């Protein structure tokens, strides 16, 4: 849905992150929520209707960017800057007790 | 330790206040949800000072760097990537960052939490592919991101015009621009004389519109917007002069203005006033930005929308009031006059009455199937049905339907519920209250609470 204006330029991505097990390029300054908008089917699944959602507000108020980040579920993706090697997994429904 | 002042938010208001209070010799801490200072308006400004993104974001954006640099150079302690989840009078502020919670004490709290975009419910607004214009602009500032495919903008106000101009400058494409503002009425003309005080601001807005008209189809008088698709956005539909139109779409960016962030002041039981012209609640503030709770100050858009320039001035005014309260700052009345703070604020606010008249809050009747509460997926129809047999109180709707009980705590549905209650009961919107806001202000895990250290004994 989104691409970086830096993408496609000769410069290599700033880092790689792992989204649902797949190595994915990422750029300094972007957040987990921004990555979710570039990778298909990475958004959360609503615990109420089971329908897919994607980040909506990007400023910490809507909670539609919830994701499992480095094993921590229900993380607000728009408030977390990407880091090299970060693991981002889709959040299906509510948070599990164990994580 | 106990800080003299704890400031929440490192945007224009929070940074201005922090710089001045530190200069006056006070111990200041600034808590910020973001990883770097600047707020949403100047988000990423330190990183974005060169390259194509910087050029497209424009001169007003680059102006933020001077304040960010002054803030970085000040003695104020900066706590980035930190969330406030509870504030208690006295003052104790409970924070989380990096999975750990802690409590800090301060003699004064200054809320400079800014604004959020006004929630814009319509059928299909929860579909992947629909998001706000502000969100898209944040993505541009934080990672140089542009939307792809058939991108539509629908809304009203200066931000969609600015964002469209920026995206086009960077080689982005727009399929079309749906203007949801009605035809300007006579009220607009009455606001013009005041607006001339900010000629540069007027010229800027006109420039964006001109640039946009050359490159994109602008459809005016758009009503009854609807987004459709299986699992993601595929089509959008709208009415214009009674005729339905339908187009293919991959991304739909919506915007109907911004509203103050009031969850913190609501949770603290501060007095708020309904501002009918703007369609939002704002905390009632004294001359120095003090709320109805002694020792709690509010500056910037959190106290009423005024934009970054007015926010900087209100940060300075609040800083003077706070310094005086703490027995510092000298003759603050004289400093207020010397710095021409009131005149500067009036000038910064000169365009607001015109903008309010041009872009009044939307008052369309929501179709029953529209999801109002994004978290708990409660529809307008359900809320109407419940409220017909109850008092016009959002908390009754919450108890009956779970509307407003999800993780966003009513940030995306509060004003819509209020409008629906007013509609069903036939009372003025402003006579209906907001949800009661209860702790925590942000969801927090048991592990985070268990990690709570008492900073007073530890530090």
């Amino acid at each position: 849905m989104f691409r970086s204006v830096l993408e496609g330029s000769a410069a290599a991505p700033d880092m790689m992150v792992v989204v649902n097990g797949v190595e994915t390029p990422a750029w300094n300054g972007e957040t987990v929520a921004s990555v979710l908008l570039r990778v298909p089917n990475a958004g959360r699944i609503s615990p109420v209707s089971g329908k897919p959602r994607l980040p909506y507000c990007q400023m910490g108020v809507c909670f539609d960017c919830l994701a499992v980040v480095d094993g921590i579920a229900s993380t607000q993706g728009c408030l977390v800057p990407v880091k090299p090697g970060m693991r981002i997994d889709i959040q299906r429904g509510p948070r599990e007790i164990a994580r | 330790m106990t800080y003299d002042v704890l400031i929440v938010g490192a945007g224009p208001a929070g940074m201005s206040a922090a710089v001045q209070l530190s200069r006056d010799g006070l111990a200041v801490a600034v808590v910020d949800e973001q990883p770097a200072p600047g707020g949403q308006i100047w988000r990423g400004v330190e990183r974005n000072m060169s390259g194509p993104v910087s050029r497209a974001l424009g001169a007003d954006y680059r102006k933020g760097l001077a304040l960010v640099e002054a803030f970085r150079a000040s003695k104020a302690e900066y706590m980035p990537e930190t969330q406030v989840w509870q504030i208690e009078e006295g003052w104790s502020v409970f924070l989380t960052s990096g999975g750990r919670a802690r409590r800090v004490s301060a003699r004064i709290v200054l809320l400079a939490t800014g604004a959020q975009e006004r929630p814009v419910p319509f059928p299909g607004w929860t579909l992947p592919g629909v998001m706000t214009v502000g969100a898209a602009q944040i993505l541009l500032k934080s990672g140089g991101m542009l939307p792809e495919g058939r991108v539509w903008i629908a809304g009203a106000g200066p931000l969609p015009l600015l964002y469209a101009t920026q995206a086009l400058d960077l080689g982005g494409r727009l399929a079309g621009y749906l203007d949801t503002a009605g035809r300007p009425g006579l009220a607009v003309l009455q606001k013009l004389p005041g607006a001339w005080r900010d000629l540069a601001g007027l010229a800027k807005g006109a420039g964006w519109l001109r640039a946009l008209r050359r490159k994109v189809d602008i459809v005016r008088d758009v009503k009854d917007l609807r987004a459709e698709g299986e699992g993601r956005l595929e089509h959008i539909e709208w009415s214009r002069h009674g005729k339905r139109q339908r187009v293919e779409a991959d991304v739909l960016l919506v915007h109907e203005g911004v509203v103050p962030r009031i969850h913190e002041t609501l949770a603290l039981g501060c007095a708020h006033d309904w501002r009918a012209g703007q369609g939002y609640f704002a905390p009632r503030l004294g001359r120095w930005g003090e709320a109805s709770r002694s020792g709690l100050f509010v500056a910037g858009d959190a106290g009423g929308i005024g934009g970054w320039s007015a926010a900087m001035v209100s940060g300075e005014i609040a800083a003077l009031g706070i310094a005086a309260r703490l027995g510092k700052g000298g003759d603050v009345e004289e400093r207020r006059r010397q710095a021409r703070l009131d005149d500067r604020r009036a000038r910064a606010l000169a365009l607001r009455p015109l903008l309010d008249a041009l872009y009044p809050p939307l008052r369309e009747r929501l179709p029953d199937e529209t999801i109002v509460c994004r978290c708990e997926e409660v529809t307008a129809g359900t809320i109407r049905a419940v409220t017909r047999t109850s008092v016009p109180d959002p908390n009754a709707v919450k108890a009956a339907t779970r509307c407003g009980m999800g993780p966003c705590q009513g940030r995306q549905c509060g004003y819509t519920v209020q409008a629906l209650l007013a509609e069903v009961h036939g009372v003025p919107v402003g006579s209906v209250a907001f949800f009661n806001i209860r702790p925590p202000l942000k969801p927090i895990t048991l592990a985070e609470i268990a990690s709570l250290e008492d900073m007073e004994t530890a530090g």
Side-chain angles (χ1 to χ4, degrees), chain B residues 88-133:
Chain B
E88 289 173 6
E89 207 156 352
W91 293 88
S92 286
V93 181
F94 293 80
L95 313 172
T96 48
S97 69
R100 293 182 69 83
R102 64 204 162 111
R103 178 173 83 96
V104 296
S105 304
R107 296 162 72 193
I108 300 277
V109 169
L110 170 62
L111 297 172
T113 46
Q116 70 163 79
E117 287 178 278
R118 177 187 295 284
V120 189
F122 55 89
W125 72 310
T126 53
L127 281 174
V130 181
M131 61 193 294
T132 67
V133 173

Side-chain angles (χ1 to χ4, degrees), chain B residues 419-432:
Chain B
L420 287 170
L421 289 176
E423 169 202 298
V424 168
H425 286 267
V427 297
V429 177
S431 72
V432 182

Side-chain angles (χ1 to χ4, degrees), chain B residues 101-363:
Chain B
R102 64 204 162 111
R103 178 173 83 96
V104 296
S105 304
R107 296 162 72 193
I108 300 277
V109 169
L110 170 62
L111 297 172
T113 46
Q116 70 163 79
E117 287 178 278
R118 177 187 295 284
V120 189
F122 55 89
W125 72 310
T126 53
L127 281 174
V130 181
M131 61 193 294
T132 67
V133 173
Q137 197 194 38
I138 287 169
L139 289 166
L140 180 58
K141 290 170 182 172
S142 38
M145 302 291 156
L146 283 177
E148 289 184 295
R150 287 154 299 195
V151 180
W152 289 80
I153 290 181
L159 182 66
L161 292 177
L162 171 62
Y163 174 72
T165 312
Q166 293 169 336
L168 292 170
D169 272 359
L170 280 166
R173 292 214 190 107
L174 289 180
Y177 187 104
L178 307 176
D179 187 347
T180 59
R183 295 263 170 209
L186 281 176
V188 171
L189 292 175
Q190 294 165 1
K191 310 294 180 194
L192 264 176
W196 291 117
R197 285 199 74 187
D198 186 3
L199 260 183
L202 270 180
K204 223 164 16 190
W208 297 336
L209 195 55
R210 260 198 318 276
L212 196 59
R213 278 208 190 106
R214 280 199 299 270
K215 294 183 185 164
V216 181
D217 276 341
I218 300 183
V219 185
R220 293 191 182 277
D221 299 319
V222 167
K223 294 202 178 343
D224 304 319
L225 185 65
R226 182 181 290 265
E228 291 171 351
E230 275 307 312
R232 67 173 182 83
L233 176 68
E234 289 166 348
H235 292 95
I236 55 176
E237 242 189 67
W238 67 86
S239 301
R240 184 165 187 271
H241 302 161
K243 268 173 64 181
R244 285 306 274 173
Q245 307 208 30
R246 183 180 163 92
V247 296
E248 293 183 328
D250 300 301
V251 178
L252 171 62
L253 306 175
V254 293
H255 180 83
E256 295 292 341
V258 296
V259 296
R261 284 175 81 146
I262 53 172
H263 268 54
E264 290 77 9
T265 44
L266 284 174
L268 284 162
C270 297
H272 289 71
D273 295 309
W274 174 251
R275 305 224 188 143
Q278 294 82 18
Y280 58 64
F281 283 107
R284 190 177 303 159
L285 303 179
R287 249 191 101 227
W288 301 96
E290 191 166 16
S292 62
R293 294 260 163 155
S294 175
L296 181 76
F297 288 70
V298 181
D301 278 356
I305 302 304
W308 63 267
S309 178
M312 281 176 67
V313 181
S314 73
E316 288 177 52
I317 292 173
L320 286 178
I322 292 167
R325 174 65 57 83
L326 296 174
K328 297 258 183 169
D331 184 348
V332 291
E333 288 287 357
E334 179 55 24
R335 287 175 71 186
R336 186 171 177 149
R337 270 192 303 276
Q338 283 281 320
R340 296 175 37 252
L341 291 177
D342 294 281
D343 185 49
R344 278 167 53 204
R345 180 154 67 176
R347 199 168 287 265
L349 293 173
L351 269 188
R352 300 318 302 189
L354 176 67
L355 291 175
D356 292 342
L358 276 173
Y359 308 115
L362 274 189
R363 288 280 175 246

Side-chain angles (χ1 to χ4, degrees), chain A residues 1 3 5 29 46 49 64, chain B residues 142 144-146 148 374 377:
Chain A
M1 220 177 112
R3 69 177 166 82
V5 291
S46 160
S49 63
D64 262 328
Chain B
S142 38
M145 302 291 156
L146 283 177
E148 289 184 295
R374 296 176 66 94
E377 305 196 31

